[in-house]
Amino acid sequence: MEVRDKLAILADAAKYDASCASSGAKQTRAGSKLGTTEGMGICHSYTPDGRCVSLLKILLTNFCIYDCQYCVNRVSSDTPRARFTVDEVVSLTIEFYKRNYIEGLFLSSGIIQNSDYTMEQLIAVAKTLRTQQAFGGYIHLKTIPNASPLLLTEAGRWADRLSVNIELPTAGDLLQLAPEKKREQITDAMQGIAETITETKSEEQAGLHPPRFAPAGQSTQMIVGATDSPDADILQTATELYDKHQLRRVYYSAYSPIPHADARLPGKSPPLVREHRLYQADWLMRYYGFDTQELIVSPDRNLSLELDPKLAWALANRQQFPIDVNRAPRELLLRVPGFGVRNVEKMLSVRRHHQLRTEDLRKLRVAWNRARAFVITADHNPALADLDKLDLARRTQPRQRQLLLFEAAESARSGEV
Amino acid sequence: MRFVQAERFDDWRETARELLCAEVPPAEVHWSAESDSLLFADELAPAAPKTIHVPPQFVALAKDVAFHRDSRRWEILYRLLWRLTHGERQLLEISTDDDVHAATQMQKAVKRDEHKMHAFVRFRRVLEGENESYVAWHRPDHLIVRLAAPFFARRFSAMQWSILTPDESVHWDGHELRYSPGVPATMAPQQDALDELWRTYYAHIFNPARVNVAQMKKEMPVRHWATLPEAQLIPELIAQAESRVRTMIDTREGFATSAQQFIPAQYDLSSLAAAAHNCTACDLHCHATQTVFGRGPATARIVLVGEQPGNQEDQQGQPFVGPAGQLLEETLTQAGLQRSELYLTNVVKHFKFILRGKRRLHQKPGSREIAACQPWLAAELKVLQPELLVCLGSTAAQAIFGRGFRLTSDRGKLITTQFAPRTLATWHPAAILRMTNEIRQQEMREQLVRDLTISAAMLA
């Protein structure tokens, strides 16, 4: 099979992986001849789905001995199969990188023979890139479930980021859809990686020079909507992952219908909006001081699809408003719908010099539509009168339609989401 | 009014310092870029030099703003400088101030443009004799070549490269950056052999079910598309997305069912067979005459699994009654086994065929059909608890041992599986019948008899 045909199959197989970040590795590896990692990642292109193309995201092979029901590459699927050699991936990465198409490589794989053998193959690619090609660009390796801890240590030495997929929100979901994968094995692997990262950091601080270990940390991915687990469970799992295992990112991937899915999977996919809401909630937990319990306001323990989680929270907690932008502390300002972290920092800085008026907020480009009913400014703010109105939700937002995946055909035609 | 000029940050700094020392207020200065071909520039009367203190953020801001294309940049910067040094020392903290706002907006535009240049430059390989170099043509919005170039020098330190732009070009020989005048796009190479491979990747990493053109255009402005090899695919990808998604929906590929839902809670062989009669887990039931379930005594110690019923089996509703069944019976007799003592079944319980005129030609079942039908076989084996399980042919063998099983190398080996303490795979009689090479056919037949004999002996 030609490299081009393999690339088509193995990129197709990788596109359900949401992660594409190439940030976090602060320093370029010493001795690199080609490639840098300088902290911020770069999106080199965008596909018509609006997603960034940063890394060459491929599978080493999509042959797999596992039978995870939500996965297009599971053993019982009819999907066309291919397998790259180590050298083919190395050469693709280098040649793409030299033309500035990419930031580096995101390599994952179906499981061939057994977990350790597969992990060794992934490591071989990363090691060849580092040692033979003196490649200093970004490498993200997806670790293989159940691979031995020694191999994970070796992988972290050559990769900037490692990820172990948590796959599904709860242990029960996993049992139901991916019986070969065990929650404990997954979290144990994460814990192992987290500990080695901490160890490496403390050795560095002590002035030693330990071998590099996943300087960009670890991330994970959760499939959303393949089971009934509500958003509350999903966010709870995410919180644990951030707190206990010090993950850099949790990615949420709306379950996408795949060829030849199993009967245990739901008959329709979750709205893409749900995925979006989870990311918003995730952000609010990490940067805005919200906790999971606060964000879930509806009795079905899901986030609202129509309203963004902060607005939904504000509407359910109107007694906390209005907030005076000239007096409120940072934590409260962060809770105003339509205010972002940077907006708030600027407000705090400006108000030391003069009182904030409506026009100041507009200049700071806050989402005034959403914010106006919740804040007191130095001038008269007529929208404040809406705070007690029943239809405030409607007034704060233009009608928004949920996008279901199967409506995507229409969306694909019109280009609107 | 004073007329002064500046092209780069250093020019501006020098002039601004002189003006400030001479206490010339911003309203009395007219700034222009060098390219504006100033008719006359004022010579400033030398003033007493003095040290000027500004916050370090201002220097950083001014350095970035200097790369902006807008000719008003110098006057805005000078006004900020003037105000910072005339009683408004905290000015930069007031981001809503008009001058601060204008300058930070310019800085933002420059930083964004720099970032986009890092992202969208596309090198093409040029070979001149032995010498390999990489050349790109890019059109930045602002005058940022000198801002963006050091990044490329770090990243592609061991390569020789040039980035050409309409305003200015930059070259790296592995040691230092060299700048030269701008050139038109036609001066750059138009092709690279790798572009096609890159386009292949781009087309396949795109998920047609999530089209969001507005988001793409926001992040990758259309004005940059001309120099991006992958961008030529965009109209086609968008145009096809609808039909690709529709095909996915029409064929309902996403949501196959499995036989699991048809299996009764409590079952034995006869209730299973009855339930299987109504199975619609895959589409094969639409065309086949009937379900052909396994046959044999519940006490059978040996179970034989084939691929699927054939034409005659489909009509008679019994497994192994066609030509392959006859051959199987002959070989069983040779091996000393009685068919009536065995349980015979198939991995797939419906006949799959294509019509050729009036003939119904056997078709291999797909993994989807195999997966859909698998629960029936699992249930049969659970009831029977065989001591020996014989897989006839590769479809049966792979259904039991997994996709990696190779009949050619592992035929005849006794292996323990979850279904039976002894499991082996051998030729399917139909495969022997189809074999055109007579010598090979005879050999396969002998192997089948031998495998069956060994297994029979195991049970004796």
Side-chain angles (χ1 to χ4, degrees):
Chain A
M1 196 188 273
E2 295 271 320
V3 168
R4 188 178 154 182
D5 301 326
K6 292 185 184 180
L7 182 61
I9 292 173
L10 294 169
D12 253 330
K15 73 173 160 224
Y16 301 100
D17 254 310
S19 159
C20 192
S22 52
S23 49
K26 296 209 171 45
Q27 269 178 343
T28 301
R29 272 159 209 265
S32 303
K33 288 216 175 83
L34 174 72
T36 48
T37 48
E38 302 182 353
M40 191 166 55
I42 297 173
C43 295
H44 285 269
S45 193
Y46 287 81
T47 46
D49 48 20
R51 285 177 156 190
C52 137
V53 182
S54 178
L55 303 170
L56 170 61
K57 184 159 58 172
I58 46 174
L59 262 58
L60 187 61
T61 174
N62 64 343
F63 284 100
C64 190
I65 56 172
Y66 277 16
D67 200 20
C68 307
Q69 303 303 315
Y70 51 81
C71 178
V72 67
N73 301 319
R74 69 206 169 96
V75 63
S76 52
S77 145
D78 260 343
T79 193
R81 309 274 173 170
R83 179 178 175 180
F84 275 129
T85 64
V86 169
D87 288 342
E88 281 167 344
V89 178
V90 168
S91 137
L92 264 180
T93 309
I94 293 292
E95 293 305 320
F96 276 13
Y97 199 91
K98 280 183 170 174
R99 284 155 183 84
N100 203 37
Y101 298 155
I102 52 169
E103 280 297 281
L105 175 67
F106 175 117
L107 190 62
S108 177
S109 182
I111 298 169
I112 36 175
Q113 296 189 21
N114 57 51
S115 296
D116 282 354
Y117 173 79
T118 313
M119 195 68 228
E120 280 164 12
Q121 295 287 302
L122 297 187
I123 292 170
V125 172
K127 187 176 175 182
T128 312
L129 279 169
R130 297 294 190 213
T131 55
Q132 288 179 21
Q133 305 284 336
F135 180 66
Y138 198 88
I139 299 180
H140 178 156
L141 291 185
K142 178 135 285 183
T143 64
I144 302 301
N146 309 343
S148 89
L150 271 178
L151 288 174
L152 295 193
T153 310
E154 166 91 6
R157 181 159 178 207
W158 309 116
D160 292 292
R161 175 169 281 187
L162 294 177
S163 58
V164 186
N165 276 359
I166 191 86
E167 308 290 9
L168 295 162
T170 69
D173 295 339
L174 210 56
L175 194 68
Q176 193 189 342
L177 294 186
E180 285 115 333
K181 294 180 183 168
K182 303 276 177 295
R183 184 58 167 270
E184 235 169 59
Q185 281 164 339
I186 294 172
T187 47
D188 281 355
M190 284 178 177
Q191 195 51 38
I193 294 172
E195 278 164 17
T196 319
I197 291 175
T198 318
E199 228 170 83
T200 309
K201 271 198 192 131
S202 64
E203 282 179 20
E204 274 167 4
Q205 276 159 11
L208 302 168
H209 296 282
R212 276 173 84 113
F213 185 85
Q218 60 171 330
S219 63
T220 192
Q221 170 171 309
M222 211 186 305
I223 290 163
V224 172
T227 57
D228 294 336
S229 298
D231 294 342
D233 291 358
I234 294 169
L235 293 175
Q236 187 53 44
T237 301
T239 309
E240 279 169 31
L241 293 171
Y242 284 126
D243 295 349
K244 248 164 85 186
H245 306 293
Q246 294 132 46
L247 288 181
R248 288 283 180 89
R249 278 297 295 277
V250 174
Y251 290 93
Y252 307 92
S253 174
Y255 165 70
S256 188
I258 48 164
H260 319 311
D262 185 273
R264 284 170 287 181
L265 288 172
K268 67 177 174 48
S269 63
L272 294 179
V273 174
R274 183 175 177 198
E275 182 187 293
H276 182 55
R277 295 287 179 243
L278 283 166
Y279 277 115
Q280 288 178 319
D282 182 280
W283 228 254
L284 290 175
M285 296 190 315
R286 288 193 295 150
Y287 301 113
Y288 290 77
F290 283 89
D291 73 48
T292 324
Q293 304 309 322
E294 286 180 294
L295 287 173
I296 303 289
V297 291
S298 83
D300 67 355
R301 305 181 65 232
N302 278 312
L303 295 168
S304 158
L305 291 176
E306 288 83 35
L307 302 174
D308 76 73
K310 203 196 221 182
L311 184 58
W313 174 84
L315 289 170
N317 294 279
R318 287 190 218 187
Q319 73 283 1
Q320 308 224 14
F321 294 97
I323 281 175
D324 184 342
V325 294
N326 286 302
R327 291 199 172 74
R330 188 172 183 277
E331 308 84 73
L332 277 185
L333 288 177
L334 283 174
R335 298 204 157 216
V336 178
F339 284 10
V341 175
R342 277 195 216 163
N343 294 146
V344 168
E345 296 304 338
K346 283 183 185 161
M347 282 177 214
L348 293 173
S349 157
V350 173
R351 78 183 190 186
R352 281 202 293 270
H353 301 278
H354 68 79
Q355 296 267 295
L356 288 165
R357 301 169 64 85
T358 314
E359 58 176 333
D360 290 315
L361 298 186
R362 284 175 192 269
K363 251 188 206 160
L364 291 175
R365 308 189 72 151
V366 305
W368 185 238
N369 240 6
R370 265 171 285 157
R372 62 185 173 188
F374 297 96
V375 292
I376 299 172
T377 49
D379 54 340
H380 173 61
N381 173 13
L384 208 51
D386 291 345
L387 184 56
D388 294 325
K389 292 200 173 131
L390 286 174
D391 63 346
L392 179 57
R394 192 185 55 77
R395 285 164 187 268
T396 45
Q397 251 196 347
R399 279 285 306 145
Q400 196 175 25
R401 203 177 55 84
Q402 306 174 18
L403 183 71
L404 294 165
L405 192 59
F406 281 179
E407 289 168 1
E410 170 57 23
S411 148
R413 195 186 56 73
S414 64
E416 296 296 320
V417 172
Chain B
M1 188 58 104
R2 310 244 184 192
F3 290 88
V4 290
Q5 64 181 31
E7 193 190 1
R8 278 191 258 283
F9 175 74
D10 290 338
D11 311 336
W12 175 82
R13 178 161 60 183
E14 208 169 302
T15 312
R17 185 182 282 145
E18 287 169 11
L19 288 167
L20 206 61
C21 290
E23 285 291 328
V24 183
E28 287 175 24
V29 186
H30 178 85
W31 290 89
S32 67
E34 192 175 50
S35 51
D36 290 354
S37 70
L38 208 61
L39 286 177
F40 55 95
D42 287 359
E43 283 294 321
L44 278 170
K50 62 177 181 189
T51 335
I52 300 164
H53 291 288
V54 287
Q57 306 99 285
F58 176 72
V59 182
L61 175 71
K63 275 185 174 165
D64 287 337
V65 171
F67 294 108
H68 203 278
R69 200 181 283 277
D70 192 332
S71 55
R72 290 175 311 150
R73 64 191 184 281
W74 303 129
E75 64 180 70
I76 291 173
L77 287 180
Y78 185 62
R79 207 154 51 232
L80 279 174
L81 179 64
W82 178 269
R83 293 175 62 192
L84 280 167
T85 51
H86 288 78
E88 295 182 73
R89 196 145 172 87
Q90 310 297 325
L91 178 61
L92 292 185
E93 287 175 24
I94 308 170
S95 41
T96 51
D97 176 89
D98 282 339
D99 287 334
V100 177
H101 190 244
T104 44
Q105 288 300 106
M106 283 184 175
Q107 179 184 38
K108 227 164 141 183
V110 164
K111 294 309 262 183
R112 179 180 155 91
D113 197 30
E114 180 198 14
H115 190 73
K116 293 299 177 197
M117 179 160 169
H118 292 164
F120 297 150
V121 156
R122 294 284 182 266
F123 285 118
R124 292 188 156 132
R125 195 167 81 119
V126 178
L127 262 184
E128 280 167 35
E130 293 283 283
N131 190 38
E132 179 195 70
S133 66
Y134 290 81
V135 182
W137 195 86
H138 179 74
R139 187 201 298 277
D141 295 339
H142 299 287
L143 309 165
I144 54 162
V145 170
R146 284 167 198 253
L147 177 65
F151 163 85
F152 291 99
R154 291 192 298 275
R155 174 158 287 197
F156 303 105
S157 58
M159 276 162 46
Q160 281 186 34
W161 54 260
S162 299
I163 301 172
L164 316 175
T165 86
D167 304 300
E168 193 173 20
S169 303
V170 57
H171 314 272
W172 172 258
D173 57 6
H175 305 285
E176 62 175 350
L177 290 168
R178 198 166 49 75
Y179 297 91
S180 66
V183 295
T186 46
M187 299 287 284
Q190 306 297 315
Q191 294 287 330
D192 188 301
L194 257 283
D195 285 351
E196 198 48 48
L197 214 49
W198 171 238
R199 278 192 283 269
T200 304
Y201 175 70
Y202 181 81
H204 285 270
I205 205 71
F206 161 59
N207 185 349
R210 307 184 58 133
V211 171
N212 188 346
V213 177
Q215 174 73 12
M216 170 186 64
K217 286 185 175 167
K218 185 175 150 228
E219 300 292 349
M220 191 165 78
V222 178
R223 62 182 180 279
H224 290 300
W225 289 12
T227 53
L228 299 172
E230 67 272 24
Q232 58 178 259
L233 293 180
I234 292 172
E236 192 187 333
L237 289 177
I238 297 173
Q240 290 170 352
E242 185 192 2
S243 68
R244 284 171 68 186
V245 175
R246 196 149 279 163
T247 311
M248 191 164 89
I249 296 165
D250 287 348
T251 54
R252 291 189 27 229
E253 269 195 324
F255 308 108
T257 52
S258 104
Q260 197 64 45
Q261 63 191 101
F262 296 91
I263 292 180
Q266 303 284 324
Y267 54 79
D268 57 16
L269 285 179
S270 59
S271 64
L272 275 179
H277 209 69
N278 301 318
C279 181
T280 54
C282 69
D283 290 340
L284 292 184
H285 74 276
C286 306
H287 306 289
T289 313
Q290 56 190 307
T291 304
V292 181
F293 207 70
R295 279 285 172 107
T299 52
R301 294 164 66 198
I302 302 180
V303 172
L304 268 59
V305 188
E307 182 187 73
Q308 64 165 344
N311 188 34
Q312 296 196 26
E313 284 85 0
D314 175 70
Q315 284 160 359
Q316 298 180 34
Q318 288 197 45
F320 291 101
V321 290
Q326 283 164 19
L327 176 59
L328 179 65
E329 218 159 329
E330 286 168 29
T331 48
L332 283 174
T333 313
Q334 278 179 285
L337 287 162
Q338 288 280 328
R339 175 171 176 155
S340 58
E341 291 173 355
L342 312 175
Y343 186 88
L344 272 60
T345 189
N346 286 299
V347 170
V348 172
K349 311 292 198 237
H350 276 117
F351 180 34
K352 183 177 182 181
F353 59 89
I354 40 168
L355 270 182
R356 280 277 179 278
K358 286 189 176 170
R359 292 182 60 206
R360 303 195 299 173
L361 290 183
H362 163 274
Q363 251 200 321
K364 213 172 141 62
S367 43
R368 183 178 193 183
E369 287 127 8
I370 294 172
C373 211
Q374 206 271 342
W376 291 121
L377 179 61
E380 284 175 294
L381 293 173
K382 201 171 161 193
V383 173
L384 289 157
Q385 302 277 337
E387 290 168 47
L388 176 71
L389 174 60
V390 180
C391 306
L392 300 171
S394 62
T395 303
Q398 291 187 357
I400 296 296
F401 296 106
R403 280 272 282 259
F405 190 88
R406 291 287 167 269
L407 198 54
T408 39
S409 53
D410 293 321
R411 184 195 52 80
K413 292 181 186 163
L414 281 166
I415 300 160
T416 303
T417 61
Q418 54 172 313
F419 302 107
R422 297 185 190 91
T423 308
L424 75 77
T426 184
W427 303 117
H428 193 289
I432 299 176
L433 291 176
R434 278 199 301 269
M435 175 53 68
T436 46
N437 179 334
E438 277 184 32
I439 301 167
R440 177 79 183 124
Q441 189 180 41
Q442 192 53 38
E443 188 187 17
M444 283 165 74
R445 190 188 159 124
E446 281 161 17
Q447 284 172 339
L448 174 60
V449 172
R450 205 182 317 142
D451 292 338
L452 290 172
T453 313
I454 293 170
S455 39
M458 297 289 300
L459 295 182

